[in-house]
Every structure is written in C-alpha cells, then in structure tokens.
Amino acid sequence: MAGLLCGTKRKQQVSDLHEEGKNAINAPLLPSGTDIHPEDTLLEENAERIMLDPTSRENPKFKDLLKVLIDWINSELEEERIIVKDLEEDCYDGQVLQKLFEKLSGRKLNVAEVTQSEIGQKQKLQTVLEAVNDVLRPHGWTVEWSVDSIHSKNLVAIIYLLVALAMHFQVPIRLPEHVSVQVVVVKKREGILQTALMTKELTSTTEMMMGRFERDAFDTLLDHAPDKLNVVKTSLITFVNKHLNKLNLEVTELESQFADGVYLILLMGLLEDYFVPLYNFFLTPESFEQKVHNVAFAFELMQEGGLKKPKARPEDVVNLNLKSTLRVLYNLFTNYKTSA
C-alpha cells in the first residue's frame, strides 16, 4: 500500500509539473504556436531552458544559415563518410562535433569513437567542448554553449558553436549576415515557470565576426583615420604598379582587378623573384570557384614567403570586398615596400 501511495504521489507531481507547462504555454509573453514539451517543464529551481520560437524557423535567412552550415560540415567530413541532415539530431551526441574539430584543428581528441549511453555522450561532449573553448576563448569568443545545451538539442547553442568554429578557422564559406532569431526562455522561480521572449543574434557582419581576431595596423588606420582611405589606396596602387609594370600590367581599381587572383599571383612572383608556372592557376578564370582557387593559391605563396596567413578570406576578395582586398595588399606593402 505504501508503495502504491508513493507511486501515486510521484504521478501527481509529474501531473502538476505538466500543468505548469500548460500554464506557461498560455502565458501572454509567449507567441502563439510555441510548444513547451513535458521535459521542458521538469526544471529544477532557478534552472532555465531556451527554445527556438517556431516562427524563427521559417525565417529565410535562418534557413539559409542552416543550409550553409550543414553543407559545410558535410564537405569537411566527406572522407569520414558522415552525412549531416539535421543539426539538432546529428550534433547533440558529440560525434560530429568531435570529427569536425579534429579536422579543423588537426588535433586528435582522446575520446571513445562511439558512445550510446547518455553519460558517455556527455563525457565526449565535455572533452570536445573543453578543447574547443581552449582554442576560441583566447581570441575573444563568448562561450554561448555548454554540454547540457548541446546534448538537449538546443539549436541556438549548436549554431553559435558552429559559427564560432567556422569564423575562427576561416573556412571557405559565406555565412548570411545579420541572422537573428527569437527564443523562448523558460525559468523556474519559487516553483513557478516564468517565460519571456528574447532576440538572439546568430551572425553579425563578416568583418565584425572576424574582428575577434588580433587587430592589425590596417584596422587602426581605418578606425582612426578613415579620411585617409584614398591616400592609402593611392599608395597601394603606386606600390603594385611599380612591380606589375615590369609585365606591362597596370592597376587602376584595387577591388576589381585583384578579384580573380591573377594579379595577386603575378605580384607575389615579382616580389619574391620567381616565375609562377601557368599550370598552377587559372590565367583567365571564368567561374567563382576558379577565382577562389587563384586567390587561395596567392595566399599560399604569401605564407611560403614568410607572411602570416591573410585575415581576409579568398571568397571576400573574389566578392569585391574592398576592405578585405586592401588588407591583403597592405600586408604586402608593409613587407615588400623597400623591394626594388
């Protein structure tokens, strides 16, 4: 009889918690169509859970962001024969995140390859996220994810993590800018569920997200003396033409004439005094991919010449991003301005 009473009491407690969830759903702060699942209501005191508002899932820019991230992961992990279709369902156990981080960082993590139990999955996530955070924190990234949020399939936390990895490792993808979503925050205070709507910014501009990296002299110049931009452009044009004129080439528009990578490659050959074999790049690139190949190849030549990896992405140069192009050329100028 005592066991029956205890079981009845537990059922009543669960029922009461489910009723709290229904009350929360009907709260005026929640938008219509938002569902709080029973497990979302079983919160400990002062705990909170964040859920994506269903209307945000239909946002075209949000859908675009999901597609870009999924396509990128599948491209990175193609050799692992891993296919991601749904970020929530495929990333929560840590397997995909482990393989992705290992591929990007070149590090091998000491974790079990396959983990079925919840405890094992969380242990793997703990190891993976500790390694991720150790890499990202020194560069100013705010940690918007945790073992519990990832394992509970919090899509917002998963996206924050993937965006940070993509931007930190400067992967060759273009994330849609200014993607924001609304989330429902459920908190438990004194036994009562409290709900509120919040706006979360998943991406800002590429430049702002890349700005978390170490700033250089060019950033300082643009921030504190934007009126000198034309002076800088004139100096850079004079610098590149001093060398390109040797091949009877001349530049008048920095952002457009370097966008296909050809002049960048030829310029590096002139600066380092070697001939670049024509079979290494596309002399008359036609597609976006061929142009990206050329710019990426020019970046490789820069690194072989002792320069740091450019902060700009090849895609940004190809897309006529003036600031990215100026940054690349300014880096060459500071290193080769005394070259004959």
Side-chain angles (χ1 to χ4, degrees):
M1 181 62 72
L4 180 61
L5 289 174
C6 289
T8 302
K9 184 176 180 181
R10 281 195 295 270
K11 289 180 180 179
Q12 183 61 44
Q13 289 174 337
V14 172
S15 177
D16 290 342
L17 287 170
H18 286 192
E19 189 63 31
E20 291 180 14
K22 292 179 181 179
N23 292 337
I25 293 174
N26 295 324
L29 287 175
L30 279 178
S32 59
T34 300
D35 293 323
I36 295 184
H37 300 290
E39 61 267 24
D40 295 327
T41 70
L42 301 176
L43 296 176
E44 297 180 0
E45 185 65 21
N46 296 321
E48 72 175 39
R49 188 179 295 274
I50 298 177
M51 295 164 287
L52 185 64
D53 174 23
T55 59
S56 290
R57 288 183 182 269
E58 301 305 315
N59 184 319
K61 293 181 70 173
F62 177 73
K63 287 184 175 181
D64 187 28
L65 176 60
L66 289 183
K67 184 179 185 306
V68 171
L69 291 174
I70 289 174
D71 289 347
W72 162 54
I73 295 173
N74 287 332
S75 176
E76 290 284 357
L77 302 183
E78 184 177 6
E79 295 180 359
E80 298 282 347
R81 300 185 183 278
I82 291 176
I83 299 177
V84 171
K85 296 181 178 179
D86 184 291
L87 293 182
E88 292 159 293
E89 295 299 328
D90 295 333
C91 292
Y92 81 95
D93 62 358
Q95 179 75 5
V96 170
L97 294 177
Q98 172 211 338
K99 295 297 184 182
L100 182 62
F101 179 74
E102 288 180 339
K103 176 70 181 298
L104 295 172
S105 66
R107 293 176 51 190
K108 181 69 176 176
L109 300 180
N110 184 23
V111 293
E113 283 299 312
V114 180
T115 51
Q116 299 293 339
S117 69
E118 178 178 334
I119 294 177
Q121 290 170 353
K122 287 189 172 182
Q123 287 175 340
K124 170 179 275 193
L125 271 174
Q126 182 71 36
T127 301
V128 173
L129 294 186
E130 284 179 356
V132 169
N133 296 345
D134 286 345
V135 170
L136 297 182
R137 272 203 181 103
H139 294 277
W141 288 96
T142 301
V143 176
E144 300 274 4
W145 51 84
S146 65
V147 171
D148 288 336
S149 63
I150 299 294
H151 195 266
S152 64
K153 303 179 183 179
N154 182 328
L155 184 56
V156 174
I158 293 171
I159 290 175
Y160 270 132
L161 173 58
L162 293 175
V163 168
L165 287 173
M167 298 308 299
H168 176 79
F169 288 102
Q170 301 184 48
V171 299
I173 60 174
R174 173 165 285 279
L175 297 174
E177 300 182 342
H178 298 298
V179 179
S180 295
V181 294
Q182 285 196 316
V183 296
V184 181
V185 182
V186 183
K187 299 179 182 180
K188 193 165 191 177
R189 298 291 184 267
E190 297 180 356
I192 300 175
L193 290 180
Q194 301 175 355
T195 60
L197 272 179
M198 290 182 60
T199 298
K200 292 281 189 178
E201 185 182 58
L202 300 179
T203 66
S204 54
T205 65
T206 300
E207 289 182 358
M208 288 181 65
M209 290 186 286
M210 293 292 287
R212 289 181 169 89
F213 300 110
E214 181 182 352
R215 294 171 60 79
D216 56 22
F218 189 67
D219 290 303
T220 304
L221 182 98
L222 284 186
D223 288 346
H224 299 288
D227 54 309
K228 295 183 179 179
L229 181 59
N230 286 331
V231 176
V232 173
K233 291 174 69 174
T234 300
S235 297
L236 292 177
I237 288 175
T238 301
F239 164 70
V240 298
N241 281 334
K242 172 185 174 183
H243 299 281
L244 291 176
N245 285 165
K246 299 172 186 176
L247 299 177
N248 294 320
L249 300 174
E250 186 170 1
V251 170
T252 56
E253 290 291 334
L254 294 178
E255 59 264 50
S256 60
Q257 289 183 267
F258 284 98
D260 64 6
V262 175
Y263 277 16
L264 271 180
I265 294 170
L266 297 177
L267 181 59
M268 280 306 304
L270 291 165
L271 292 172
E272 286 289 327
D273 195 23
Y274 56 71
F275 174 75
V276 182
L278 298 181
Y279 58 77
N280 281 333
F281 64 100
F282 298 95
L283 188 59
T284 56
E286 297 180 357
S287 68
F288 180 82
E289 289 73 20
Q290 290 177 348
K291 294 176 183 179
V292 169
H293 168 87
N294 280 357
V295 177
F297 177 58
F299 284 7
E300 291 178 12
L301 296 180
M302 293 174 196
Q303 290 177 270
E304 290 176 3
L307 278 69
K308 290 184 179 180
K309 182 179 180 180
K311 291 173 62 176
R313 301 184 310 157
E315 290 79 6
D316 294 330
V317 175
V318 175
N319 283 321
L320 307 181
N321 184 305
L322 176 59
K323 189 171 182 179
S324 295
T325 304
L326 291 178
R327 176 175 279 112
V328 172
L329 295 175
Y330 185 77
N331 192 32
L332 293 178
F333 173 75
T334 56
N335 283 273
Y336 294 100
K337 58 186 176 183
T338 58
S339 298

